[in-house]
Amino acid sequence: MSAITAAAAAAPTDSTTNFTDILKNSVTENFVSDISISKIIITMAISFIIGFFIYLLYKRVFSGVLYSKSFNVSLIGMTMVTSMVIIAINSNLVLSLGMVGALSIVRFRTPIKDPTDLIFLFWAAAAGIVSGAGFFTLAAIGSIIVGLVMFFFIKSSSVETPYLLVVNCDGDTSELAVHKQLNTSVKRFNVKQKTVTNGNIEMTLEIRLHDKEGSFVNQLSGISGVKNAVLISYSGDYVS
């Protein structure tokens, strides 16, 4: 009787130990201490190809004012560096925990002016993560799909070029004359800023032109009371 009791008491301990061993093995099996040279070369090569694809697409669809080649090259570097980090994380459990703690204190202060640039940054990082994890098919097909979507919506879509018109006039009468002239000369306009001082009214207007015709600026300058009129092309961002 005592032998049966002892066996029954030992049974839960054995099952608990076995479950712990299974859990431990399932975790440690996902980490390999030895990284083959071929795996490193293949992963880094695929990361470079995907990063270069992102580089070419960004250069093709860029529509801002100043193109930054250094930022574009950094997209290739981000893809490759991220994939290298993921390879290291997959190789060692302790290293992966330490890497998470180390990367959590990294802060980047580079300002991103265009939201599209932020999409390319996340794309490069995600492609590096997926490539480093070994999902090469997902990285390639996903990058092609994202690239087609970005190209279609950024490059193929027709966007009206915005312009800023800065007009200085001497009073309300000339201001009304300017508005009347704009109603017949441009598609649409709206006042972004208006500064009134003694004997001078300065207006900054955002306008959309008919077929990029800017000859109406001379007509505005010829209105009585208008001191000067300047037409400026800009990217659509305005800070008052």
Side-chain angles (χ1 to χ4, degrees):
M1 192 70 174
S2 60
I4 296 175
T5 305
T13 304
D14 294 339
S15 63
T16 304
T17 303
N18 292 335
F19 177 76
T20 304
D21 293 339
I22 293 173
L23 181 62
K24 184 185 299 183
N25 292 334
S26 65
V27 173
T28 55
E29 282 176 358
N30 294 326
F31 296 90
V32 289
S33 58
D34 187 19
I35 307 176
S36 63
I37 301 298
S38 60
K39 179 181 178 181
I40 297 175
I41 294 176
I42 293 173
T43 303
M44 297 301 291
I46 293 177
S47 300
F48 171 77
I49 293 173
I50 295 176
F52 187 68
F53 172 71
I54 298 174
Y55 167 87
L56 292 177
L57 184 66
Y58 180 83
K59 187 176 182 179
R60 183 74 176 82
V61 304
F62 179 79
S63 58
V65 178
L66 296 175
Y67 167 76
S68 175
K69 184 177 180 180
S70 61
F71 173 81
N72 199 5
V73 172
S74 69
L75 296 177
I76 302 177
M78 176 173 288
T79 307
M80 299 183 67
V81 170
T82 305
S83 100
M84 181 177 63
V85 171
I86 297 301
I87 293 175
I89 289 177
N90 284 338
S91 65
N92 189 280
L93 176 61
V94 177
L95 178 62
S96 65
L97 297 177
M99 192 78 72
V100 171
L103 294 177
S104 65
I105 64 175
V106 177
R107 296 292 184 270
F108 298 97
R109 302 298 183 185
T110 303
I112 302 298
K113 297 181 180 180
D114 191 350
T116 306
D117 294 347
L118 191 60
I119 295 176
F120 278 92
L121 285 173
F122 274 110
W123 180 10
I129 292 173
V130 175
S131 300
F135 301 105
F136 303 131
T137 304
L138 174 60
I141 296 178
S143 295
I144 292 174
I145 294 175
V146 173
L148 291 175
V149 172
M150 296 291 290
F151 181 85
F152 177 78
F153 282 98
I154 295 178
K155 195 66 179 179
S156 299
S157 59
S158 59
V159 179
E160 293 181 340
T161 303
Y163 289 87
L164 284 182
L165 177 66
V166 181
V167 180
N168 285 276
C169 51
D170 59 4
D172 296 335
T173 303
S174 55
E175 179 184 355
L176 292 175
V178 169
H179 288 177
K180 184 178 180 180
Q181 180 64 42
L182 290 177
N183 283 327
T184 59
S185 301
V186 302
K187 285 184 179 180
R188 62 181 184 273
F189 70 93
N190 63 295
V191 179
K192 304 290 290 186
Q193 185 182 32
K194 179 179 177 180
T195 304
V196 180
T197 57
N198 186 19
N200 183 72
I201 298 177
E202 182 181 88
M203 293 184 296
T204 303
L205 307 98
E206 181 181 352
I207 64 174
R208 297 294 194 277
L209 302 181
H210 291 293
D211 300 327
K212 298 183 179 180
E213 285 291 336
S215 58
F216 73 95
V217 178
N218 295 329
Q219 299 173 1
L220 291 177
S221 300
I223 296 176
S224 176
V226 175
K227 301 176 181 178
N228 57 69
V230 180
L231 186 64
I232 306 169
S233 175
Y234 83 119
S235 63
D237 298 325
Y238 181 79
V239 179
S240 58

